């Protein structure tokens, strides 16, 4: 095993303590040796300068954004027909607004003529239908429509540049939405009049609390009711293996007999593992053990600056292969049902393809949950992933040795800025209310870091170059290909997924030479997966594409796949049961005589690392 005690760059705090000694939340400071030549000095100066800017822009490259903006402006300048169309639309919008203004002035009921986009609930209150707020929000929506037209269908502009410029335009417009102001938001004014301005007092207190929590990196006190090992991550089990990167949890059986083939779950290393073991009533792990499955789960270590050189292959070897070796020892002579969520599903697929290439057939089946193996249509997250952005982000990680959880969370918030940024600011700081917390929100606030090398490799090899789907991803000295996988696959996508769009997750059906059962469930990236039986308003579609069948595009699949009501969990359990043997006696907890003794109770130690 590689020695990770030293990294390629040394880091220490201002008081001389090492980053590890001061705790994971300490901010490591780069200790850069003075370069011997001018070229080296120039490189260090550039990295340090870009790193400082990257902290302010959350990793977005100003040069990259400027290049896209110039490309759009240049192509629009060479399109006089498009300019005429935009001028005509602007004139029409102004006429509509003046007509609307005249009707309102005469006391007539002014019907809205601009409709919010799907999912935009900012102007749904009846208060917005009264003068002058109806005029304000209609003007905003018309302006939004105009900019959507201005940044799309510009002749010669690439589809990627078009999506990026349109996205940036939406973000800028959302900053100035009338819903964000005190005087221009009737709901805020109504609350202020009703409460004598006390909403602003509460809002100031909420802001001070959030600022203190953000500055210190502390876990919000409101989430203390969801402590791991107590209210969440509470399914009984034991840690039976530990290395530098993971703890492996074996969950205690809940039935007298169990299926012989164990289930091995690889969660994402962004956030803590317990998204799949939340409260007892919505824990996927608890559901599985109650159905008679033996379940193992990876709990990832939260890396520090000293782990900066941990790469993707370290995560594969220490996170997947070492765990598989432990499971094969504890439950010998049995194949394993592999399950991967989000990034964990991508990593599990990489490991499975390498195993298939090398003749390792330990997997009985593979299940991917909201995971991607082909990144050609990876959604709006791709807007942040170009050579310019990756280079800029790398400079920020170069200084720190990792990507901080808050920095990653900021990127995801931008993707849904209406819901996760502006609406929250209005609700918490102007109306002065707090949304009640739940277990999913507590998990979402339990942030983790990602090592410099691993995250750079992940963005470059998978998102930017799409090496895995193209047969160029290297494991060892040879490439792997998803098409080598022969174990049957169960892939789950979620309708409202903004992280791994379901059409992207669906692409796994086009690669392996095996049967792929694809299931599309209602909900988003997290809530769609955490969909316990009895959860209201849940439904899903499911259909199997047999090995050798002609390709079915996602829209055709969606049109023809039958819809079923309720949770998708029982459907998946039935699929696993069909591929499992007869139930028998549960295995022992760990295998002490073979080197896998019980180390501690679940949820282990790594989950508590800050």
């Amino acid at each position: 095993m590689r020695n990770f005690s030293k990294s390629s760059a040394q880091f220490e705090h201002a008081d001389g303590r090492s980053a590890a000694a001061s705790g994971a939340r300490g901010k490591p400071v780069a200790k850069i040796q003075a370069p011997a030549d001018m070229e080296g000095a120039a490189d260090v100066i550039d990295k340090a300068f870009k790193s400082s800017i990257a902290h302010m822009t959350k990793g977005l490259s100003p040069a990259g954004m400027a290049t896209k903006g110039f490309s759009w402006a240049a192509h629009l300048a060479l399109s006089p027909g498009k300019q005429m169309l935009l001028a005509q639309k602007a004139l029409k919008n102004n006429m509509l607004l003046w007509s609307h203004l005249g009707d309102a002035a005469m006391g007539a009921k002014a019907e809205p003529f601009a409709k919010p986009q799907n999912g935009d609930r900012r102007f749904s209150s009846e208060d917005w239908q009264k003068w002058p707020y109806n005029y304000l929000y209609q003007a905003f929506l018309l302006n939004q429509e105009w900019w959507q037209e201005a940044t799309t269908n510009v002749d010669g502009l690439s589809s990627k540049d078009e999506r990026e410029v349109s996205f940036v335009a939406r973000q800028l417009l959302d900053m100035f939405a009338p819903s964000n102001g005190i005087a221009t938001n009737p709901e805020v004014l109504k609350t202020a009049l009703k409460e004598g301005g006390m909403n602003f007092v509460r809002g100031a207190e909420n802001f001070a609390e959030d600022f203190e929590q953000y500055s210190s990196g502390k876990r919000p006190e409101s989430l203390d009711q969801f402590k791991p090992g107590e209210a969440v991550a509470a399914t009984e089990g034991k840690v039976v293996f530990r290395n530098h990167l993971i703890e492996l949890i074996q969950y205690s059986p809940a039935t007298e007999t169990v299926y012989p083939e164990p289930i091995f779950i690889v969660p994402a290393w962004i956030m803590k593992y317990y998204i799949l073991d939340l409260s007892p009533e919505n824990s996927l792990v608890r559901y599985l053990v109650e159905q008679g499955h033996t379940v193992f789960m990876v709990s990832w270590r939260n890396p520090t600056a000293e782990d900066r050189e941990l790469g993707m292959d370290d995560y594969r070897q220490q996170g997947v292969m070492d765990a598989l070796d432990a499971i094969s020892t504890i439950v010998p002579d049995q194949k394993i049902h592999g399950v991967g969520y989000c990034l964990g599903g991508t990593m599990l697929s990489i490991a499975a393809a390498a195993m298939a290439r090398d003749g390792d057939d330990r997997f009985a089946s593979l299940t991917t949950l909201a995971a991607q193996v082909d990144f050609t249509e990876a959604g709006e997250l791709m807007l942040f992933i170009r050579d310019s952005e990756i280079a800029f982000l790398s400079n920020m990680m170069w200084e720190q040795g990792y990507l901080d959880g808050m920095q990653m969370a900021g990127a995801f918030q931008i993707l849904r800025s209406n819901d996760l940024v502006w609406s929250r600011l209005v609700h918490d700081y102007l109306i002065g209310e707090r949304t009640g917390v739940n277990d999913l929100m507590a998990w979402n606030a339990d942030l983790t870091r990602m090592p410099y090398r691993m995250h750079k490799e992940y963005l470059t090899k998978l998102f930017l170059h799409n090496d895995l789907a193209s047969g160029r991803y290297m494991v060892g000295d040879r490439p792997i290909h998803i098409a080598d996988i022969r174990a049957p696959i169960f892939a789950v996508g979620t309708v409202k997924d903004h992280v791994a769009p379901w059409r992207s997750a669906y692409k796994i059906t086009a690669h392996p030479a095996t049967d792929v059962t694809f299931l599309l469930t209602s909900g988003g990236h997290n809530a769609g997966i955490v969909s316990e039986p009895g959860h209201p308003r849940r439904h899903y579609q499911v259909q199997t594409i047999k090995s050798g069948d002609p390709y079915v595009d996602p829209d055709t699949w969606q049109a023809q796949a039958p819809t079923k009501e309720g949770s998708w969990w029982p459907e998946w359990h039935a699929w696993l049961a069909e591929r499992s043997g007869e139930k028998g006696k549960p295995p022992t907890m760990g295998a002490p005589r073979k080197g896998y003794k019980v180390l501690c109770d679940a949820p282990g130690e790594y989950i508590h690392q800050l």
Side-chain angles (χ1 to χ4, degrees), residues 6-11 30-32 305-306 308-309 398:
K6 295 182 179 179
S7 61
S8 62
Q10 292 181 315
F11 291 81
K31 183 181 179 182
I32 308 297
E306 293 186 346
R308 62 182 291 117
E309 287 304 313
W398 164 84

Side-chain angles (χ1 to χ4, degrees), residues 240-456:
V240 295
F241 171 72
R242 180 187 294 127
N243 62 21
H244 180 78
L245 198 53
I246 69 163
E247 289 181 328
L248 181 66
I249 300 171
Q250 179 182 357
Y251 290 94
S252 303
T255 55
E256 292 185 1
T257 59
V258 298
Y259 293 103
E261 299 87 356
I263 292 176
F264 168 46
I265 303 178
V266 183
W269 51 86
I270 297 177
M271 322 298 288
K272 301 293 178 68
Y273 82 86
Y274 61 91
I275 178 65
L276 302 178
D277 185 26
L278 289 171
S279 302
E281 63 272 12
N282 61 0
S283 166
L284 179 58
V285 169
R286 184 178 292 270
Y287 173 81
L288 289 171
V289 297
E290 288 177 349
Q291 308 311 307
H293 294 283
T294 298
V295 179
F296 292 82
M297 172 90 84
V298 164
S299 174
W300 297 99
R301 182 175 182 268
N302 198 1
T304 65
E306 293 186 346
D307 299 310
R308 62 182 291 117
E309 287 304 313
L310 283 171
M312 283 287 289
D313 203 59
D314 298 310
Y315 273 70
R316 180 192 67 87
Q317 181 59 55
Q318 295 189 56
V320 179
M321 302 311 298
D322 286 359
L324 278 174
D325 291 343
I327 297 170
S328 296
T329 303
I330 296 168
V331 190
D333 304 320
Q334 297 293 341
K335 290 197 172 184
I336 300 165
H337 295 293
V339 183
Y341 172 61
C342 189
L343 294 185
T346 305
M347 181 56 70
L348 183 71
S349 300
I350 290 171
M355 291 166 65
R357 179 198 68 184
D358 299 336
D360 186 339
D361 64 350
R362 282 182 284 177
F363 280 129
S365 72
L366 290 178
T367 297
T368 59
L369 308 177
Q372 302 173 92
V373 296
D374 188 320
F375 293 82
T376 52
E377 295 178 292
E380 288 191 325
L381 195 59
M382 291 296 293
L383 301 177
F384 301 98
I385 301 172
R386 272 195 172 189
D387 288 315
S388 179
E389 276 72 24
I390 291 177
F392 208 65
L393 185 63
S394 294
N395 287 314
M396 183 168 64
M397 293 190 295
W398 164 84
E399 179 198 23
Q400 298 175 160
Y402 56 80
L403 183 67
D404 188 80
M406 291 296 294
Q407 293 159 344
M408 174 59 74
F412 288 119
Q413 287 176 342
I414 291 174
L415 294 180
R416 296 174 57 200
S417 61
N418 273 351
D419 295 331
L420 301 181
V421 180
W422 302 115
S423 293
R424 179 177 176 269
L425 293 181
V426 171
H427 185 267
D428 288 13
Y429 304 150
L430 299 186
I431 295 181
E433 296 180 356
R434 286 290 203 192
T435 303
V437 296
N438 56 35
D439 51 4
L440 190 58
M441 293 172 63
W443 167 82
N444 201 49
D446 211 347
L447 302 174
T448 57
R449 294 172 291 275
M450 283 167 287
Y452 165 76
R453 180 180 171 189
M454 183 283 299
H455 196 56
K456 184 176 180 180

Side-chain angles (χ1 to χ4, degrees), residues 543-588:
Q543 196 167 55
T544 299
I545 300 173
K546 296 285 188 179
S547 174
D549 283 354
Y551 173 71
V552 179
D553 67 89
D555 293 326
T556 300
W557 181 94
Q558 188 179 32
Q560 66 187 21
T563 298
K564 299 183 180 183
E565 296 299 321
S567 166
W568 63 269
W569 290 7
E571 182 86 28
W572 179 45
H573 160 63
W575 186 88
L576 289 170
E578 282 182 20
R579 289 154 182 80
S580 301
E582 295 295 325
K583 290 184 177 180
K585 184 179 178 181
T588 61

Side-chain angles (χ1 to χ4, degrees), residues 128-252:
W128 283 101
Q129 305 311 317
K130 302 173 183 177
W131 170 261
Y133 308 108
N134 52 358
Y135 174 81
L136 291 175
Y137 97 85
Q138 288 288 285
F140 171 78
L141 292 179
L142 286 177
N143 197 25
Q144 190 179 58
E145 289 179 8
W146 189 90
W147 277 101
Q148 176 68 15
E149 179 69 30
T151 55
T152 56
N153 300 315
V154 178
D155 186 43
L157 189 67
S158 71
S159 58
K160 185 171 178 63
D161 281 349
E162 178 181 289
R163 290 194 302 272
E164 294 173 357
V165 171
S166 179
F167 176 81
V168 171
R170 290 200 309 273
Q171 301 306 310
L172 293 174
L173 285 171
D174 283 341
M175 290 176 61
F176 301 102
S179 55
N180 297 339
I182 295 175
T184 55
N185 187 325
E187 296 174 87
V188 173
L189 291 175
K190 182 178 180 180
T191 303
L193 289 172
K194 181 180 178 181
E195 300 184 8
M198 289 305 296
N199 55 308
F200 299 128
V201 175
R202 294 195 307 272
E205 292 173 348
N206 292 341
F207 177 81
E209 179 184 323
D210 290 346
F211 182 79
E212 192 275 335
Q213 182 267 324
Y214 177 84
S215 302
S216 65
K218 295 179 181 177
R219 180 182 172 88
E221 292 182 4
S222 59
L223 302 181
D224 285 348
Q225 58 185 301
F226 296 105
K227 290 182 179 179
E230 298 178 13
V232 294
T235 304
E236 292 184 4
K238 306 290 183 182
V239 173
V240 295
F241 171 72
R242 180 187 294 127
N243 62 21
H244 180 78
L245 198 53
I246 69 163
E247 289 181 328
L248 181 66
I249 300 171
Q250 179 182 357
Y251 290 94
S252 303

